[in-house]
Amino acid sequence: MSDAKGQVPLQSSAAAEFVRTYNAQAHEIVDAMTAAVTSAEAGLNWLRAEPPDLEEVRKLLNFIASDGKRAAEIIIRLQALIEQVPTADAAL
């Protein structure tokens, strides 16, 4: 049996586990993006200093790159998780 959108409803325990996992992963993405933005803002401040502290900016750019990669890895895990959700097509 499928809902109006053509999706097969998940059993309650499977649905609860999916929601918990999804929410945890989404929280990690927010953390990674917040860290990247905070580092970028700090880097801008270091560049405005007289003289600019280029070594600190270099460190922050590495943190930003790392946080961006971490966010991308989390999104890949979420995509894999979503692919495991049964749909009406899978039941046919």
Side-chain angles (χ1 to χ4, degrees):
M1 175 180 283
S2 63
D3 65 10
K5 295 179 183 178
Q7 297 177 335
V8 176
L10 297 174
Q11 302 221 345
S12 61
S13 63
E17 180 62 28
F18 172 81
V19 169
R20 275 192 297 275
T21 302
Y22 186 89
N23 286 338
Q25 298 292 310
H27 183 74
E28 283 188 53
I29 291 172
V30 171
D31 286 350
M33 298 308 297
T34 300
V37 169
T38 301
S39 293
E41 290 171 342
L44 290 170
N45 287 334
W46 285 111
L47 286 174
R48 285 197 269 298
E50 285 299 328
D53 191 336
L54 299 180
E55 184 55 34
E56 286 299 320
V57 172
R58 193 173 291 114
K59 288 177 189 176
L60 289 171
L61 289 173
N62 283 319
F63 288 140
I64 293 168
S66 177
D67 289 330
K69 289 176 186 175
R70 182 166 56 114
E73 290 168 359
I74 295 164
I75 291 169
I76 290 167
R77 288 196 309 259
L78 280 174
Q79 288 171 330
L81 178 67
I82 289 171
E83 287 176 4
Q84 295 174 11
V85 176
T87 63
D89 294 339
L92 296 178

